[in-house]
């Protein structure tokens, strides 16, 4: 097993290197991380290609949030490993952090495993892996990334940029693997965020989405008033040339009247709030460690709608959480009906080893999870359709 030193590896390198294909699975955070990696590798002379078959290096930027996301990666890696001539294979992102060097045992064809905190050293790891193919390069330290990686200017879309405002999460919702694979909550300095938005906008990108697992807990750490998420929004929205500003995700326990007022008063901010409810049962919400009640959630939506005229609201739901019974599920459907979300993502509960919820019995049968998933999807489809008319 090889560990690599952290001596940098930045700057331009014009010597031509191999070709790299990156496959991204997971949330917007991973989409942004893949852009960062592409920016760093192309600055080092690697060619980025859109077809895995043409690539010398194939990197999977992975997600561990549900078992299904992991299965997809194991099976594609399995197929690749059986090929006679295979590229160098790297597993990066959340599965890398989750399974670390176990990956080499489970999938011996994998050459390199690099976790989310270490992507700023990706070029160094890749260089090592290319030199020592077959010996397993591992980079899974947990630390704050170097700020400069966010300034490579590489964005996948021509008119839209994701800008990370915080890494990690400290909320420990009982079902969720993110705090374990992404580490403690770390905020980027406000100045750097504003600088990145300015850079993106001045390069011709007019639409920006600020990213964090819980954007409303943003605090630049200076301890003074005015350094929270709403002040960040105020500052970013002042960037000349910016046409729209969105943000995800809003945790219900941290949104405030001030946020809604900013959404009302600052024209560039999109009137769209992604505020996952997860469940409509207080008993389940407590087991999930979400930190709010259904009543509180409904009050927030009412407050939002009374302040933000025509504001959209969307949610995530998990069905089949341990011990969820028919009555709990009925309450979730009731919440969806009451709020009439513009849209919602609905997930079947998936046990994540190491989380608190993994200690509860996964006692809702798969068929029942599927039934509830289908039922809530249908209900939300009906609501979304009605709202559009
Ligand atoms: N930080 C965001 C999103 C995190 S992951 C938030 O707090 O809202 C995106 C969604 O995946 C979550 O909102 C949740 O609905 C779902 N999710 C997370 N862990 C899950 C699990 N173990 N099983 C099923 N769905 C899960
Ligand atoms: Fe996971 Fe909860 Fe953090 Fe979202 S807020 S990433 S669901 S622990
Ligand atoms: Fe995102 Fe999946 Fe990681 S949801 S933070 S890519 S576990």
């Amino acid at each position: 097993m090889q560990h690599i030193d952290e001596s940098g590896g930045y700057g331009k390198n014009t010597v031509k290197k191999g070709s790299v294909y990156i496959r991204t699975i997971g949330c917007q955070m991973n989409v942004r991380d893949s852009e960062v990696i592409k920016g760093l590798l192309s600055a080092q002379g690697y060619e980025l290609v859109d077809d895995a078959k043409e690539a010398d290096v194939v990197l999977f930027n992975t997600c561990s949030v549900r078992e299904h996301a992991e299965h997809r990666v194991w099976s594609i890696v399995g197929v690749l490993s059986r090929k006679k001539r295979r590229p160098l294979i790297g597993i990066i992102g959340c599965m890398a952090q989750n399974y670390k060097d176990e990956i080499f045992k489970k999938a011996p064809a994998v050459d390199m495993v690099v976790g989310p905190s270490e992507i700023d050293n990706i070029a160094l790891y890749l260089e090592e892996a290319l030199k020592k193919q077959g010996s397993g390069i591992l980079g899974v330290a947990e630390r704050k990334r170097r700020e400069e990686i966010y300034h490579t200017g590489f964005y996948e879309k021509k008119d839209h940029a994701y800008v990370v405002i915080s890494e990690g999460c400290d909320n420990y919702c009982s079902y969720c693997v993110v705090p374990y694979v992404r580490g403690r909550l770390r905020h980027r300095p406000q100045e750097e965020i504003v600088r990145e938005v300015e850079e993106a906008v001045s390069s011709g990108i007019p639409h920006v989405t600020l990213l964090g697992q819980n954007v409303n807990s943003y605090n630049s750490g200076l301890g003074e008033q005015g350094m929270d998420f709403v002040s960040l929004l105020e500052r970013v929205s002042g960037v000349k040339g910016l046409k729209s500003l969105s943000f995800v995700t809003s945790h219900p326990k941290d949104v405030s009247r001030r946020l809604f007022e900013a959404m009302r008063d600052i024209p560039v901010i999109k009137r769209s709030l992604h505020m996952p409810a997860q469940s409509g049962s207080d008993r389940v919400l407590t087991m999930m460690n979400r930190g709010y009640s259904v009543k509180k959630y409904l009050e927030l939506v009412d407050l939002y709608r009374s302040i933000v005229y025509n504001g959209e609201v969307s949610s995530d739901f998990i069905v089949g959480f341990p011990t969820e019974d028919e009555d709990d599920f009925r309450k979730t459907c009731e919440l969806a009906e009451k709020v009439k979300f513009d849209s919602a993502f609905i997930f079947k509960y998936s046990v994540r080893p190491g989380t608190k919820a993994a200690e509860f019995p996964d006692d809702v049968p798969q068929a029942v999870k599927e039934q509830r998933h289908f039922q809530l999807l249908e209900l939300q489809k009906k609501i979304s359709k009605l709202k559009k008319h």
Side-chain angles (χ1 to χ4, degrees):
M1 210 65 57
Q2 293 283 326
H3 288 260
I4 222 159
D5 73 321
E6 293 178 3
S7 53
Y10 294 105
K12 291 260 177 211
N13 184 337
T14 47
V15 180
K16 263 225 169 254
K17 298 198 176 148
S19 55
V20 181
Y21 168 78
I22 304 185
R23 166 88 185 262
T24 308
I25 297 134
C27 65
Q28 294 101 325
M29 204 54 95
N30 261 15
V31 172
R32 178 61 186 135
D33 287 353
S34 287
E35 291 178 339
V36 163
I37 291 166
K38 286 179 183 177
L40 292 172
L41 292 182
S42 71
Q44 288 295 307
Y46 290 95
E47 184 197 358
L48 303 172
V49 292
D50 293 330
D51 186 351
K53 286 192 225 78
E54 290 168 15
D56 303 316
V57 176
V58 174
L59 301 179
F60 294 94
N61 195 4
T62 58
C63 173
S64 265
V65 83
R66 282 170 291 276
E67 199 181 10
H68 178 67
E70 296 185 341
H71 270 319
R72 275 164 63 200
V73 173
W74 294 128
S75 68
I76 316 168
V77 169
V79 171
L80 259 186
S81 346
R82 286 190 290 277
K83 288 208 183 309
K84 266 208 194 105
R85 274 195 59 231
R86 61 169 185 83
L88 184 143
I89 302 175
I91 301 258
I92 56 178
C94 298
M95 278 174 77
Q97 200 64 34
N98 206 4
Y99 297 103
K100 303 186 176 73
D101 54 353
E102 270 178 51
I103 292 177
F104 298 124
K105 285 181 220 137
K106 195 167 161 128
V110 172
D111 303 287
M112 180 177 103
V113 170
V114 177
S117 309
E118 282 284 309
I119 63 166
D120 46 5
N121 282 325
I122 193 81
L124 289 171
Y125 286 116
L126 186 52
E127 211 165 293
E128 280 301 296
L130 285 163
K131 267 194 268 173
K132 299 182 183 157
Q133 215 155 357
S135 64
I137 300 294
L138 181 70
V140 287
E142 282 183 44
R143 56 173 180 79
K144 194 172 187 322
R145 297 161 170 180
R146 295 185 183 87
E147 181 52 44
E148 57 265 45
I149 64 165
Y150 290 112
H151 300 279
T152 65
F154 191 102
Y155 300 98
E156 211 68 71
K157 295 200 173 142
K158 288 201 162 46
D159 61 347
H160 176 263
Y162 285 126
V163 173
V164 172
I165 68 166
S166 56
E167 297 161 10
C169 183
D170 278 352
N171 282 333
Y172 292 93
C173 302
S174 65
Y175 50 80
C176 184
V177 79
V178 172
Y180 303 93
V181 292
R182 289 274 169 169
R184 301 303 304 259
L185 181 65
R186 300 162 305 248
H187 303 292
R188 285 181 68 197
Q190 202 170 100
E191 296 307 319
E192 293 294 340
I193 297 166
V194 174
R195 181 160 77 90
E196 187 184 343
V197 174
E198 283 168 350
E199 287 161 359
V201 173
S202 68
S203 75
I205 299 175
H207 306 290
V208 167
T209 300
L210 302 179
L211 287 185
Q213 298 300 344
N214 172 7
V215 286
N216 295 287
S217 67
Y218 179 81
N219 186 310
S220 56
L222 299 181
E224 287 299 314
Q225 254 194 350
M227 291 297 157
D228 62 0
F229 181 60
V230 178
S231 18
L232 179 71
L233 275 181
E234 285 164 357
R235 282 205 54 196
V236 171
S237 61
V239 171
K240 258 208 162 93
L242 181 69
K243 291 219 175 91
S244 79
L245 183 60
S246 318
F247 50 89
V248 275
T249 298
S250 289
H251 193 302
K253 76 178 173 55
D254 292 317
V255 296
S256 61
R257 172 183 278 275
R258 258 184 84 219
L259 172 72
F260 302 155
E261 288 169 351
M263 293 174 80
R264 175 194 64 196
D265 296 338
I266 304 176
V268 88
I269 301 179
K270 273 203 175 170
R271 297 184 163 206
S272 173
L273 184 70
H274 184 57
M275 186 171 71
Q278 309 297 359
S279 170
S281 156
D282 281 337
R283 193 185 66 80
V284 172
L285 284 175
T286 304
M287 283 179 78
M288 286 178 163
N289 191 31
R290 288 290 287 179
Y292 52 86
S293 62
V294 177
K295 183 166 172 281
K296 168 85 193 302
Y297 187 89
L298 286 168
E299 282 167 7
L300 274 174
V301 174
D302 281 347
L303 182 67
Y304 169 69
R305 286 184 167 149
S306 71
I307 295 176
V308 185
Y309 177 71
N310 263 347
E312 292 193 350
V313 58
S314 57
S315 180
D316 294 348
F317 287 105
I318 297 176
V319 296
F321 187 80
T323 77
E324 182 190 73
D325 60 20
E326 284 303 325
D327 192 45
D328 297 314
F329 178 64
R330 185 183 49 75
K331 288 176 179 158
T332 297
C333 295
E334 268 173 24
L335 176 64
E337 293 208 50
K338 266 192 203 145
V339 175
K340 296 198 170 36
F341 292 100
D342 293 272
S343 61
F345 294 100
I346 298 150
F347 305 105
K348 285 169 273 183
Y349 172 70
S350 169
V351 185
R352 301 291 66 209
T355 60
K356 180 79 189 136
E359 295 167 17
F360 308 144
D362 183 19
D363 57 354
V364 179
Q366 189 59 22
V368 176
K369 283 183 187 168
E370 265 152 36
Q371 164 63 28
R372 291 179 187 165
H373 184 244
F374 177 77
Q375 209 176 314
L376 192 53
L377 268 179
E378 287 300 302
L379 173 63
Q380 183 54 46
K381 245 197 249 168
K382 212 173 69 194
I383 295 169
S384 301
K385 214 163 153 189
L386 279 175
K387 291 214 71 171
K388 280 198 186 109
H389 289 117

